[in-house]
């Protein structure tokens, strides 16, 4: 998946303190997000609107919906992929509403309304949602690799240049001339 380039789904990241800057890519993990759908009048109306709302936001409808402003706005609950991006200090909900959409947008995601403070007065995170990805493994040529120590020096950079992350695997394809590093990245376009 990742066909729309929403997230660069690489690496294992912890829940807090994930990112060095607001535009940093992050590991997406299955989660739920609510997306506005205009007014929804009943379950039958939700069944007609929510699947498209969720699909538009790179998710699938899980059957949940609720009204936020009677007669004007409802939201559909979608299963999607979410991650947390640092946004600097956020002081309250109004401040989050100003900062989080841009923070998520820089990474190609959509703010799902969730945020929290990780370091009082210094750092908060916005929860951003978008497209899950399936990982694929590729062997990338790295020139000669002589042993495991040499692989640990060469493979991380080789995989990074190819848009992936080294998974620890490597092997020699032409003795003394060529070795490959096993890199993991998001599956290419074409869900």
């Amino acid at each position: 998946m990742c066909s729309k380039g929403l997230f660069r789904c690489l690496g294992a990241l912890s829940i807090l303190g994930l990112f060095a800057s607001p535009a940093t890519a992050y590991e997406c993990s299955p989660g739920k997000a609510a997306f506005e759908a205009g007014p929804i009048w009943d379950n039958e109306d939700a069944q007609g609107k929510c699947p498209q709302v969720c699909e538009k936001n790179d998710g699938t409808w899980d059957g949940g919906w609720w009204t936020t402003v009677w007669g004007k706005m409802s939201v559909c609950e979608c299963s999607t992929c979410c991650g947390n991006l640092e946004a600097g200090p956020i002081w309250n909900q109004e401040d989050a509403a100003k900062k989080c959409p841009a923070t998520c947008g820089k990474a190609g995601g959509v703010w799902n309304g969730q945020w929290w403070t990780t370091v009082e007065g210094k750092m908060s995170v916005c929860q951003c949602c978008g497209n899950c990805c399936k990982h694929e493994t590729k062997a990338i040529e790295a020139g000669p690799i002589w042993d495991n120590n040499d692989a640990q020096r060469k493979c991380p950079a080789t995989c990074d240049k190819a848009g992936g992350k080294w998974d620890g695997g490597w092997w020699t394809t032409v003795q003394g001339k060529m070795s490959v590093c096993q890199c993991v990245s998001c599956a290419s376009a074409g869900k």
Side-chain angles (χ1 to χ4, degrees), residues 3-4 24 52 54 75-76 78 113 117 132 140 165 168 189 191:
S3 60
K4 295 183 181 177
T24 302
Q52 289 83 18
C54 292
V75 295
C76 301
C78 307
T117 297
C132 288
I140 306 295
K165 181 176 175 131
K191 297 180 184 180

Side-chain angles (χ1 to χ4, degrees), residues 126-183:
C126 304
Q127 190 172 65
C128 306
C129 295
N131 187 4
C132 288
C133 72
K134 293 183 178 179
H135 291 95
E136 67 182 2
T137 303
K138 290 183 179 178
I140 306 295
E141 291 185 336
I145 296 177
W146 307 109
D147 56 28
N148 282 328
N149 289 335
D150 195 33
Q152 290 175 4
R153 284 188 294 274
K154 294 178 179 174
C155 286
T158 297
C159 290
D160 188 55
K161 285 179 187 174
K165 181 176 175 131
W166 185 44
D167 72 358
W170 71 276
W171 59 92
T172 297
T173 55
V174 180
Q175 192 63 38
K177 293 186 178 179
M178 188 57 68
S179 298
V180 294
C181 302
Q182 190 164 287
C183 307

Side-chain angles (χ1 to χ4, degrees), residues 10-73:
L10 301 171
L13 302 171
S14 63
I15 292 298
L16 297 176
L18 302 180
F19 313 100
S21 71
T24 302
Y26 56 91
E27 176 76 9
C28 45
S29 58
K32 295 190 184 289
F35 295 97
E36 291 184 336
I40 296 177
W41 305 108
D42 55 28
N43 282 330
E44 187 176 329
D45 193 29
Q47 290 172 3
K49 292 178 180 174
C50 287
Q52 289 83 18
V53 168
C54 292
E55 184 177 316
K56 177 182 168 191
N57 289 287
D58 297 306
T60 55
W61 186 44
D62 70 2
W65 70 277
W66 58 91
T67 296
T68 56
V69 180
W70 180 251
K72 293 185 178 180
M73 188 58 67

